[in-house]
Amino acid sequence: MTRRFALMIDPVAADVQRDDYTDTFTQVDAAAPALSVGELSTQRGDGVFESIGVVDGHAQEVVPHLERLAHSARLCDLPVPNLEQWRQAVQQAAAQLDAGESVIKLILSRGVEHGPTPTAWVTAAPAADFSAVRRDGVRVVTLDRGYDLGAAERAPWLLLGAKTLSYAVNMAALREARRRGADDAIFLSSDGFVLEAPTASLILRFGDRFTTPAPNGGILHGTTQLSVYDHLLARGFEVGYDRIPASDLGRADAAWLVSSVRLAAAITAVDGEPLPVDAELTAELNAYLLSPRD
Ligand code: PLP
């Protein structure tokens, strides 16, 4: 058993359909350099990725993550990943991990410049300890994302609905949030609607109805949000996808940022104004998200 693990994947070998793809994987030393210096596309962020939560060796929601990886690849004109090959790589990585929480990352980049094939790899590593943020929540600030709700349709080359390797803007937003004395950010469209957080989806509660910004191409469709909605529906709540004006944020009865590894973090304040916290439901959501989910 190990805490860190890395596999290079040969995406070309997956063109032939078969049952067992393990001979298309090469295990590499997770602590040693493995990428060619020619891996320029990675430096340009020209690729797509996924982060999958792993709890006690069980990789969570693998198929939704693989489907989003394929969706991102299509948007970026990358070869569409063979889902069964990647599923087997995830299983192989998960089987190596110790108990506790880990994260498996899947990366598909355009590969060495002028090279014939993309570069693909899977890594596994221990997850950070998010127990405090799951318990205490996050203060958020709203930040202008700089495009309106129509941008994704008008300008598909902005790749707004793809989970690309270009997260520099998302990381800059988190630094700006910290400069403003908060823990996290919520992006707003330039026409005043709520989008998502830099690394999480947003769910708001109004009475017994829960809502999240409609994934209309401008934001990622979160696997955790989908899973939380399944749980809320089973509990008899109403759920929906809406255009949410920024002014609705402060009116919510509770709100959460949800994502695959941090899980559910209650929002305790928006732009310095306190928001009600539903500690009981937050704990319930995190217990559910930590249970094995397929
Ligand atoms: N939105 C963005 C921009 C993200 O980066 C993420 C996760 O990293 C999410 C939403 C939430 O997605 P998921 O729940 O699948 O982790």
Side-chain angles (χ1 to χ4, degrees), residues 65 68 163 167 170 196-201 220 222-224 258-260:
H65 279 287
R68 193 172 60 191
K163 194 166 167 71
Y167 259 49
N170 304 46
E196 63 185 345
T199 64
S201 313
L220 297 189
T223 61
T224 318
V258 299
S259 54
S260 295

Side-chain angles (χ1 to χ4, degrees), residues 31-86:
L35 295 177
S36 154
V37 286
E39 186 68 26
L40 264 180
S41 63
T42 307
Q43 294 161 29
R44 288 182 178 141
D46 191 2
V48 297
F49 81 106
E50 283 295 322
S51 297
I52 301 180
V54 185
V55 182
D56 295 335
H58 183 273
Q60 304 278 39
E61 299 277 3
V62 175
V63 171
H65 279 287
L66 292 179
E67 285 173 349
R68 193 172 60 191
L69 185 75
H71 176 69
S72 299
R74 268 187 217 103
L75 291 177
C76 293
D77 302 316
L78 282 163
V80 177
N82 176 317
L83 298 197
E84 180 55 22
Q85 182 195 32
W86 284 80

Side-chain angles (χ1 to χ4, degrees), residues 17 71 103 109 142 153 155 202 256 282:
Q17 296 296 323
H71 176 69
V103 52
S109 98
T142 53
E153 199 178 312
L202 171 74
W256 295 266
T282 306

